[in-house]
């Protein structure tokens, strides 16, 4: 049952139990104190009545009619609230009528309460002698009025305490309901986010903690929406780039590879004709052979450019270090005014084919952005082992490319190249961060390696 209750239900139930427990403890305390209170009152009344009777009886023999005086004293004392006085003779027979219960018609406390607080009745006999005739006055306690007062107080306390407890309970229910009201909105917003509606927002309210959670959820929804939109644009851009790349490769094959093949075929046909002749012309054969060698060299260069675009040439054969040095050398040759420093830690070790290709592409994309947009004069490339571990326990390589260029404008978003690289690294279990400042731009990535 407890597990099926909502948070609001659990708080209200605990509050009701605490209020009921407090009321029960208070009533129990009064019931526990009732017995000693009645007993103390009983003893006090008996003692006072006995002392009063002893004082009056001492001068009783001097009265004109001691017997009538004694009966009058017994009748007068019987009107007292908590005691009754009965005149008895030597045989123990009552000489005065018994006390009438004037409160017989009123509703008294229950019997269990009376037996609990005053189980026995107290009686004290005071001897009396009139002209040598012995007798006694029996003082009997009647704590019914005191017990009734205590019971009335307990009932009143129970009624008033219950009313106050109910008022507090409903007030706290209202307060708790208002404080936890954002939970319903949070649940609805989370359901919308789960369904892909990232525009869902929650109005911050309730307790400060819940208001902070609402604010964080709104920020999360906005971030998720931006991430999904970035993924959509990235996927659209990837499809577009694939089509553009295919068109470009097809154009180059048609515009460059085709003419080279046609020229080679023409020269090969000319050589075949020279071979069919009785006396081949050595100069013509040499001319066609040289032309064919030039065409073949051009085809090799074209083939290298296409392969470089599809996959870095020499990365698998030469390794990451040599491939990055070759990449840096090409950029130095095309931009001699920019100093490029590449540092690869000897402790890096073997990173694996996937990590090597990812590290190469990160450096390639970062250097491309530097020379296209940064206007930098110095670029520093550092690749070293990272202290952080990937989520699956693999080691990571830290790739940091920093320049002294102009950096990014405030609010400027990353280009598709870096966004695509970030998605690729995230898919591998790593991270990529871009930090822009007055001293330039820094691209830092953690790439999981093959080593565990």
């Amino acid at each position: 049952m407890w597990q099926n209750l909502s948070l609001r239900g659990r708080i209200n139930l605990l509050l009701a139990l605490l209020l009921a427990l407090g009321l029960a403890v208070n009533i129990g305390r009064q019931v526990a104190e009732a017995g000693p209170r009645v007993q103390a009152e009983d003893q006090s009344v008996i003692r006072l009545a006995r002392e009063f009777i002893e004082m009056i009886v001492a001068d009783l023999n001097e009265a004109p009619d001691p017997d009538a005086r004694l009966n009058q004293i017994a009748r007068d004392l019987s009107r007292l609230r908590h005691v009754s006085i009965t005149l008895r003779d030597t045989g123990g027979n009552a000489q005065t009528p018994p006390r009438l219960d004037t409160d017989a018609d009123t509703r008294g406390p229950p019997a269990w309460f009376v037996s609990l607080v005053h189980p026995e009745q107290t009686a004290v006999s005071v001897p009396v002698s009139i002209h040598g005739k012995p007798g006694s006055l029996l003082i009997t306690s009647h704590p019914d009025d005191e017990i009734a007062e205590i019971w009335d107080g307990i009932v009143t306390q129970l009624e008033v305490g219950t009313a106050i407890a109910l008022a507090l309970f409903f007030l706290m229910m209202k307060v708790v309901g208002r404080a936890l009201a954002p939970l319903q909105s949070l649940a609805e917003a989370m359901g919308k986010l789960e369904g892909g509606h990232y525009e869902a927002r929650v109005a911050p309210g309730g307790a400060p903690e819940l208001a902070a959670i609402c604010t964080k959820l709104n920020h999360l929804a906005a971030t998720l929406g931006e991430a999904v939109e970035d993924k959509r644009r990235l996927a659209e851009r990837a499809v577009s780039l694939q089509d553009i790349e295919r068109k470009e490769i097809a154009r180059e094959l048609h515009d460059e590879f085709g003419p080279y093949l046609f020229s080679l075929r023409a020269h090969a046909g000319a050589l075949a004709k020279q071979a069919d002749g009785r006396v081949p012309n050595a100069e013509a054969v040499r001319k066609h052979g040289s032309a064919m060698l030039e065409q073949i060299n051009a085809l090799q260069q074209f083939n290298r450019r296409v392969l470089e675009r599809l996959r870095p040439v020499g990365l698998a054969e030469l390794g990451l270090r040599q491939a990055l040095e070759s990449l840096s050398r090409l950029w130095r040759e095309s931009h001699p005014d920019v100093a490029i420093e590449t540092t690869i830690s000897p402790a890096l070790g073997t990173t694996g084919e996937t990590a090597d290709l990812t590290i190469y592409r990160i450096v390639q994309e970062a250097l491309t952005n530097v020379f296209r947009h940064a206007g930098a004069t110095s670029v520093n490339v550092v690749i070293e082992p990272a202290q952080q571990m990937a989520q699956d326990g693999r080691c990571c390589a830290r790739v940091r490319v920093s320049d002294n260029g102009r950096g990014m404008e405030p609010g400027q978003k990353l280009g598709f190249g870096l966004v695509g690289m970030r998605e690729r690294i995230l898919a591998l279990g790593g991270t990529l961060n871009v930090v822009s400042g007055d001293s330039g731009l820094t691209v830092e990535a953690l790439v999981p390696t093959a080593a565990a």
Side-chain angles (χ1 to χ4, degrees):
M1 176 182 177
W2 178 260
Q3 298 297 331
N4 297 328
L5 285 177
S6 63
L7 178 59
R8 182 182 301 178
R10 294 182 182 185
I11 294 176
N12 290 334
L13 179 59
L14 287 175
L15 178 61
L17 291 177
L18 287 175
L19 291 174
L21 180 61
L23 183 60
V25 169
N26 189 27
I27 298 300
R29 180 185 61 81
Q30 291 193 14
V31 171
E33 293 177 354
R37 177 179 168 183
V38 170
Q39 186 177 4
E41 182 71 14
D42 193 18
Q43 293 176 356
S44 176
V45 170
I46 292 291
R47 184 176 63 253
L48 289 175
R50 182 175 181 175
E51 292 176 356
F52 182 69
I53 290 173
E54 290 176 348
M55 181 181 63
I56 294 177
V57 170
D59 300 331
L60 188 60
N61 290 323
E62 299 177 0
D65 188 357
D67 291 331
R69 178 60 176 164
L70 183 60
N71 291 330
Q72 183 64 35
I73 292 173
R75 285 193 298 271
D76 292 341
L77 291 178
S78 294
R79 297 192 186 100
L80 294 177
R81 181 181 180 187
H82 297 302
V83 295
S84 63
I85 309 295
T86 304
L87 177 61
R88 294 177 180 271
D89 55 16
T90 56
N93 299 316
Q95 299 297 315
T96 56
R99 169 178 171 169
L100 297 178
D101 192 357
T102 57
D103 297 332
D105 296 335
T106 62
R107 185 177 180 182
W112 65 266
F113 182 74
V114 175
S115 62
L116 178 65
V117 301
H118 194 270
E120 296 180 358
Q121 195 173 44
T122 304
V124 176
S125 179
V126 179
V128 177
S129 178
I130 301 176
H131 301 296
K133 183 181 178 181
S136 64
L137 289 174
L138 181 64
I139 305 173
T140 305
S141 65
H142 294 278
D144 298 340
D145 294 336
E146 184 69 19
I147 296 175
E149 287 183 2
I150 295 176
W151 175 253
D152 290 341
I154 292 176
V155 172
T156 303
Q157 180 70 24
L158 182 61
E159 293 174 350
V160 174
T162 302
I164 294 176
L166 289 175
L168 286 175
F169 178 71
F170 287 112
L171 178 62
M172 291 303 298
M173 280 185 61
K174 194 72 173 178
V175 173
V176 171
R178 285 183 173 272
L180 300 182
L183 289 179
Q184 182 65 29
S185 301
L186 282 171
E188 294 176 357
M190 289 180 181
K192 293 180 180 179
L193 291 178
E194 185 180 5
H197 302 284
Y198 300 107
E199 72 281 358
R201 297 293 184 271
V202 182
E209 295 81 359
L210 289 179
I213 293 176
C214 293
T215 303
K216 294 294 184 182
L217 182 66
N218 292 336
H219 179 69
L220 176 62
T223 304
L224 286 175
E226 293 178 359
V228 171
E229 180 63 20
D230 289 342
K231 285 181 178 293
R232 186 196 63 78
R233 292 190 291 110
L234 182 61
E236 182 181 351
R237 177 67 174 172
V239 173
S240 176
L241 287 177
Q242 286 179 357
D243 292 338
I244 294 174
E245 191 72 17
R246 289 169 181 169
K247 291 178 182 179
E248 186 68 19
I249 293 177
R251 185 190 64 77
E252 290 183 356
L253 290 175
H254 180 271
D255 294 345
E256 297 190 29
F257 202 77
Y260 287 143
L261 291 177
F262 179 79
S263 178
L264 284 174
R265 183 176 182 179
H267 288 295
L271 288 176
K273 289 181 180 180
Q274 289 291 330
D276 292 339
R278 294 181 178 179
V279 182
N281 189 340
E283 183 62 26
V285 171
R286 186 181 300 106
K287 177 181 177 182
H288 289 299
S290 298
M292 290 178 69
L293 288 175
E294 292 178 0
Q295 300 298 327
I296 291 172
N297 288 332
L299 282 175
Q300 287 179 338
Q301 294 178 1
F302 172 73
N303 183 59
R304 180 179 292 275
R305 290 199 306 272
V306 173
L307 291 177
E308 178 67 25
R309 288 166 57 183
L310 297 177
R311 182 176 177 83
V313 177
L315 180 61
E317 295 80 4
L318 302 177
L320 178 63
R321 190 181 301 273
Q322 296 296 330
L324 289 178
E325 289 180 357
S326 177
L327 178 64
S328 300
R329 184 169 57 253
L330 291 176
W331 281 112
R332 291 191 192 97
E333 292 175 356
S334 60
H335 297 81
D337 55 333
V338 179
I340 303 176
E341 182 179 355
T342 302
T343 304
I344 301 178
S345 173
L348 184 62
T350 304
T351 57
E353 182 179 358
T354 303
D356 287 347
L357 181 58
T358 303
I359 293 172
Y360 183 89
R361 291 303 189 192
I362 293 171
V363 177
Q364 185 182 44
E365 181 65 28
L367 290 178
T368 301
N369 289 333
V370 168
F371 291 107
R372 283 182 179 177
H373 311 294
T377 59
S378 175
V379 183
N380 187 23
V381 180
V382 178
I383 303 173
E384 60 186 359
Q387 298 294 331
Q388 295 91 332
M389 304 289 289
Q391 294 181 355
D392 56 4
R394 289 183 296 168
C395 298
C396 291
R398 186 190 306 277
V399 183
R400 185 187 296 110
V401 182
S402 55
D403 62 73
N404 62 348
R406 66 175 68 92
M408 298 175 62
E409 297 293 333
Q412 181 180 353
K413 294 186 176 180
L414 299 179
F416 286 107
L418 286 177
V419 172
M421 191 59 58
R422 171 179 286 173
E423 295 297 325
R424 177 173 182 171
I425 295 174
L426 289 176
L428 295 177
T431 59
L432 185 141
N433 296 312
V434 179
V435 180
S436 179
D438 297 336
S439 58
L441 188 73
T442 299
V443 178
E444 183 171 324
L446 293 178
V447 181
T449 63

